[in-house]
Amino acid sequence: MPLGDSLVAAVSAAAHLPDDKVRCLLALLATYPLSIPLLVLHPRRTVQPDGSLSPAPAWATTLKYIYIVVVATILTAFCFPDPHDWIHLLAGALAMYGIMAIGATLNLGKTWVWTVWAAAMLHMSYSHLARQWADYASYKFDHTAPQMVMVLKLTALAWSVYDHSVLAKNPTAPLTPRQRAMAVPLPTPLEFLAYIFYFGGLFVGPAFDLRSFQRFITGDAYLDTAVNQAALAKKKETPGAQVHIRPPHPWSAMLQCVATSALFMVLTVLLADRFAFSRLSTPAYLDGPVTIAVLASRFARLQISGFAARTQYYAIWKLAEGACIVAGLGYNGVDTQGHAQWNQVTNVRIWALETASSFKGIIDNWNMGTSTWLKECVYLRLTPPGTRPTFLTTMVTYTTSAFWHGFYPGYYLTFASGALITTAARGLRRAFRARVLATESTPLYAAYTFAGWVMSQGILNYVVAPFMVLSLADSIAIWKANYFLGHIGVLTAIAVASIATPKKASRTAAASKKASEPASFLNDGTTVPQLNLDLNNLPASPAQSRSGSGSPRRRRARRASIEASAEPTDAAASKWPSPPASPTKGGAVELPAAVASATM
């Protein structure tokens, strides 16, 4: 009898949920108490003669790796009673490790990295197609969900191992700061299995890099806390003294995640089925006489269905984030006031997303781990150092994201429409934002922000309908019932932006683009600047640093062009500031629009 059948049956009957969802939920809940040993097991370390600490004892890290693998094995067997599921996961991971070991040992250059990419993606594509063939449009929880997370980890690890080999040959190799920080030698088989199958992020994510995982296991991630710094300072002059590394308390951050998850679980129960997108494929929604009131009602129903669909993602992602925080994996350093930050594995910022007044603001706060992966492992890897990405680079990024999600037609309709929306949003911003700011009118700016929120949220819930209903016929039927208003609006916005953008401003922006391009569009190792609205304190671009600041007139033109193309800072989101990008601790990073819009 499969593990836990009686418990699953009881919970399934009580909660009116299918067995596969119950197994996933129970497995996630079990990770909370099972994560506590990883938080508390940090043995004492010895002060070295130079005042530094000795590495974490090998026996402690090995014990943790073994514990993780054993727990992951039990939870996987519980979550997937069919051996076919977990055999796919284990066999795929071991095959990728074999390719890495051979490639790194024989020094085959990038060939073995792209081989890992191709093999991992093809294996996952096979799983997607097999599921699609056997159970079309099913949302059953099977091995494809953890396999998608594993692909992120496996491909990111392949690049990190390759970067380590590059730096070993040439320490001055043109790698970005993040690539340098994440570079690692090939892990041992035990460390590899513990990383890939870490139970806190195994089933639904989040994904993270091996370097962050190693610092979490050894306790090095916590050395910057005030308690540990004080303990080290006290015994620094005493070689041989013992220092006990103490992680900061995660309980408050964990409870916030649990409470948020519980709230959205309740909303999922109340809204998800009643307002499911699948109910929009029925005659009650599609048929009947069409009036302005009916059309408005249909579009409003799309908005409710979009939010209802997101609640289940919010619930499950926050629950998984909380499990990582309990273990200590979510720790991301301290802020300027010395308070611990637990946002390293955050996959969604709900408030920032729901209040975003731009489409880019929505995408930047959704599925953040996948966004970072697309940027670091696809977008920038296809861009030679010191150059800008080409149209082909952008298309490959979109295609990779689509393949990663699967092969339902609805995915591709959503991604293709997302590219149009990104173009329209960028054009409107360039055409009107600088004009609104120039008026220095608070009411006008508030109206501009509110209009941005209405349009962004409205088009989001319209464009994701195919992503949720999956089939081509149902997707087109829903859009047709709404008279393709979303697409008409987007195309109209592109036309209006083209007409409304002053030609002089356009030429100025084009002329100064190379000098003012945000570093996130460059693969030259620069960090991503945080654009602020103080036009007298804009960060200097690399070109400015080399050639000087220029005349006051040219500086004013450059500032105007940057402001015209700047992404708005959402008024509501500004009350909940995001952490700065961290190249060493996996914090959120600013993404090029082409990458961000490919992660829906």
Side-chain angles (χ1 to χ4, degrees):
M1 177 180 290
L3 185 64
D5 258 9
S6 57
L7 174 62
V8 171
V11 175
S12 179
H16 302 287
L17 291 173
D19 286 1
D20 57 295
K21 302 297 192 299
V22 171
R23 287 184 180 274
C24 176
L25 180 60
L26 292 178
L28 281 174
L29 291 175
T31 60
Y32 277 74
L34 291 172
S35 296
I36 294 177
L38 299 175
L39 177 71
V40 300
L41 181 58
H42 291 286
R44 296 178 182 275
R45 293 162 67 171
T46 305
V47 177
Q48 308 272 40
D50 62 357
S52 62
L53 283 178
S54 63
W59 67 264
T61 56
T62 300
L63 183 61
K64 287 184 179 182
Y65 290 149
I66 294 174
Y67 176 77
I68 290 171
V69 172
V70 170
V71 172
T73 301
I74 296 172
L75 291 180
T76 302
F78 169 78
C79 202
F80 305 119
D82 185 354
H84 168 270
D85 288 310
W86 54 263
I87 288 175
H88 261 289
L89 298 176
L90 180 60
L94 291 177
M96 297 309 106
Y97 183 79
I99 296 173
M100 291 184 206
I102 294 173
T105 302
L106 299 181
N107 194 20
L108 300 178
K110 290 184 180 180
T111 302
W112 70 266
V113 181
W114 292 118
T115 302
V116 169
W117 261 92
M121 293 294 287
L122 285 173
H123 183 202
M124 184 180 63
S125 297
Y126 167 79
S127 297
H128 280 316
L129 289 171
R131 170 177 167 167
Q132 188 170 334
W133 178 268
D135 196 6
Y136 191 86
S138 167
Y139 278 96
K140 180 181 178 182
F141 186 77
D142 63 5
H143 74 275
T144 56
Q147 188 176 18
M148 293 172 72
V149 180
M150 285 176 54
V151 167
L152 304 187
K153 288 185 175 181
L154 289 168
T155 50
L157 176 60
W159 279 117
S160 295
V161 173
Y162 169 77
D163 289 340
H164 182 270
S165 66
V166 169
L167 291 174
K169 295 178 186 177
N170 180 15
T172 62
L175 299 179
T176 67
R178 179 180 173 84
Q179 290 167 357
R180 290 175 174 274
M182 298 299 107
V184 292
L186 182 72
T188 65
L190 178 61
E191 184 179 37
F192 170 80
L193 290 174
Y195 165 62
I196 295 298
F197 290 98
Y198 172 66
F199 53 85
L202 174 60
F203 300 110
V204 294
F208 44 84
D209 55 82
L210 178 59
R211 177 64 76 191
S212 297
F213 181 70
Q214 291 173 332
R215 288 169 52 79
F216 149 66
I217 291 293
T218 61
D220 288 349
Y222 315 124
L223 294 179
D224 63 350
T225 64
V227 171
N228 292 324
Q229 285 292 310
L232 180 58
K234 187 176 180 181
K235 300 182 179 181
K236 190 174 183 179
E237 305 299 330
T238 312
Q242 300 290 304
V243 176
H244 187 192
I245 301 301
R246 302 179 184 276
H249 294 300
W251 312 118
S252 175
M254 179 270 289
L255 289 175
Q256 289 181 29
C257 287
V258 172
T260 303
S261 177
L263 170 63
F264 283 101
M265 282 184 185
V266 172
L267 291 175
T268 297
V269 172
L270 296 176
L271 303 176
D273 181 65
R274 182 179 179 184
F275 296 102
F277 274 105
S278 59
R279 294 182 178 270
L280 305 185
S281 302
T282 60
Y285 182 84
L286 301 175
D287 298 340
V290 177
T291 63
I292 294 179
V294 169
L295 195 57
S297 174
R298 289 178 179 176
F299 203 80
R301 175 61 186 273
L302 274 180
Q303 308 310 306
I304 300 174
S305 294
F307 176 76
R310 290 195 295 277
T311 58
Q312 54 193 320
Y313 291 96
Y314 293 160
I316 205 71
W317 280 344
K318 281 298 177 182
L319 190 63
E321 180 184 345
C324 292
I325 289 175
V326 170
L329 180 59
Y331 179 69
N332 196 25
V334 296
D335 59 18
T336 55
Q337 298 179 343
H339 300 145
Q341 298 181 108
W342 292 95
N343 53 20
Q344 184 185 45
V345 293
T346 297
N347 207 31
V348 61
R349 289 194 286 252
I350 301 172
W351 180 258
L353 189 153
E354 295 294 341
T355 59
S357 61
S358 69
F359 192 69
K360 184 177 183 297
I362 291 172
I363 302 303
D364 281 350
N365 293 290
W366 172 264
N367 206 356
M368 295 158 58
T370 306
S371 297
T372 302
W373 172 72
L374 286 170
K375 174 179 180 282
E376 296 293 337
C377 298
V378 184
Y379 198 70
L380 293 181
R381 295 294 180 173
L382 295 174
T383 306
T387 66
R388 288 178 174 80
T390 64
F391 175 75
L392 179 60
T393 302
T394 300
M395 291 307 300
V396 171
T397 303
Y398 272 101
T399 303
T400 301
S401 180
F403 275 22
W404 183 77
H405 282 90
F407 296 95
Y408 286 106
Y411 295 158
Y412 297 85
L413 290 176
T414 294
F415 286 127
S417 300
L420 284 175
I421 295 170
T422 301
T423 301
R426 186 186 299 119
L428 290 176
R429 183 171 68 249
R430 289 174 176 171
F432 296 108
R433 180 169 173 79
R435 295 174 176 176
V436 171
L437 292 176
T439 66
E440 299 184 354
S441 170
T442 300
L444 181 59
Y445 181 75
Y448 170 84
T449 302
F450 179 73
W453 176 76
V454 170
M455 290 189 293
S456 299
Q457 299 292 334
I459 196 64
L460 168 68
N461 296 315
Y462 168 88
V463 79
V464 298
F467 194 92
M468 300 305 299
V469 299
L470 303 178
S471 75
L472 178 63
D474 289 343
S475 300
I476 298 299
I478 292 174
W479 278 351
K480 183 179 179 181
N482 287 273
Y483 280 71
F484 295 96
L485 285 179
H487 289 86
I488 293 173
V490 168
L491 294 175
T492 301
I494 293 174
V496 169
S498 177
I499 296 172
T501 301
K503 294 189 178 196
K504 181 178 180 181
S506 297
R507 288 195 299 267
T508 303
S512 62
K513 185 176 181 181
K514 291 184 179 180
S516 62
E517 190 77 49
S520 60
F521 284 84
L522 294 170
N523 192 5
D524 60 359
T526 57
T527 57
V528 180
Q530 296 296 318
L531 186 64
N532 61 53
L533 297 182
D534 183 355
L535 300 184
N536 294 316
N537 292 286
L538 288 172
S541 67
Q544 287 173 298
S545 300
R546 291 191 299 266
S547 60
S549 58
S551 67
R553 181 178 180 183
R554 297 182 70 177
R555 288 199 302 270
R556 287 195 298 271
R558 184 180 297 115
R559 288 198 298 267
S561 69
I562 295 174
E563 178 56 35
S565 61
E567 181 66 32
T569 299
D570 301 317
S574 65
K575 299 178 183 177
W576 303 81
S578 305
S582 172
T584 61
K585 298 189 178 183
V589 294
E590 184 81 9
L591 299 177
V595 176
S597 59
T599 62
M600 288 179 286

